[in-house]
């Protein structure tokens, strides 16, 4: 029996089961979430939208209410995503979840992808100039080599 003959198609088991989309409120991350939603809908996969609230030690030292600000961003993102999903309700049937927690965006997305046993990760391209030199979250995810990573411009 050849290798090709030994691999048999199994109905309902091909394709991703969980697609993680990292969002941070930027335009590119919202485009990434929309792209991931299309992938999840077509594949019948769960869309797990993840926002990692950054912990900014410098802002806290200056007395800035950093935790309140990132929590507000998380609530705004969740509301925006719920509104978007309501608009497609009845047109497309799709399973999705929104997860948020505090931490470093890279490590947070890695943990979320591992905990959710993601089959793919979708993120937006970094819009920060400094990331061209030190590496963006997207580049670090690709280099981790643990899941297919799609970077949406």
């Amino acid at each position: 029996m050849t290798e090709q003959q030994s691999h048999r198609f199994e109905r309902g088991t091909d394709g991703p089961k969980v697609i993680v989309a990292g969002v941070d409120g930027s335009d590119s991350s919202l485009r990434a979430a929309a792209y991931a939603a299309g992938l999840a809908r077509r594949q019948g996969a769960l869309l797990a939208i993840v926002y990692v609230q950054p912990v900014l030690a410098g802002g806290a030292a200056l007395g800035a209410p950093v935790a309140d600000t990132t929590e507000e961003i998380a609530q705004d993102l969740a509301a925006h995503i719920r509104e978007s999903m309501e608009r497609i309700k009845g047109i497309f049937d799709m399973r999705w979840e929104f997860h948020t927690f505090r931490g470093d965006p890279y490590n947070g997305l890695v943990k979320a992808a591992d905990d959710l046993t993601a089959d793919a990760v979708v993120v937006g391209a970094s819009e920060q100039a400094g990331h061209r030199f030190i590496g963006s979250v997207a580049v670090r995810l690709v280099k981790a080599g643990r899941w297919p990573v799609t970077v949406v411009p």
Side-chain angles (χ1 to χ4, degrees):
M1 187 180 293
T2 68
E3 185 178 325
Q4 192 171 20
Q5 290 172 327
S6 68
H7 180 273
R8 294 186 307 143
F9 176 78
E10 297 178 50
R11 183 174 298 278
T13 59
D14 288 349
K17 291 182 179 26
V18 178
I19 297 173
V20 168
V23 296
D24 62 8
S26 67
D27 288 343
S28 68
S29 79
L30 296 177
R31 284 190 298 271
Y35 181 84
L39 289 175
R41 179 185 58 79
R42 287 186 296 278
Q43 296 290 331
L46 170 67
L47 172 63
I49 300 170
V50 177
Y51 170 60
V52 181
Q53 299 175 37
V55 178
L56 305 172
L62 299 172
V66 174
D68 292 343
T69 301
T70 60
E71 187 64 36
E72 188 176 314
I73 292 169
Q75 290 172 2
D76 288 348
L77 282 169
H80 178 73
I81 291 162
R82 279 189 196 95
E83 288 169 15
S84 297
M85 292 301 184
E86 281 298 313
R87 283 196 299 271
I88 65 168
K89 199 174 190 176
I91 301 169
F92 299 118
D93 187 27
M94 191 172 145
R95 297 176 304 127
W96 67 280
E97 301 172 347
F98 181 77
H99 300 269
T100 184
F101 47 90
R102 295 189 198 294
D104 164 54
Y106 168 76
N107 289 319
L109 284 172
V110 167
K111 181 171 175 17
D114 283 345
D115 289 353
L116 296 165
T117 58
D119 296 299
V121 178
V122 181
V123 293
S126 175
E127 296 179 354
Q128 297 180 10
H131 287 170
R132 292 186 188 121
F133 304 107
I134 60 171
S136 66
V137 171
V139 169
R140 292 172 66 195
L141 288 168
V142 169
K143 286 183 177 181
R146 293 164 66 177
W147 331 263
V149 177
T150 301
V151 182
V152 177

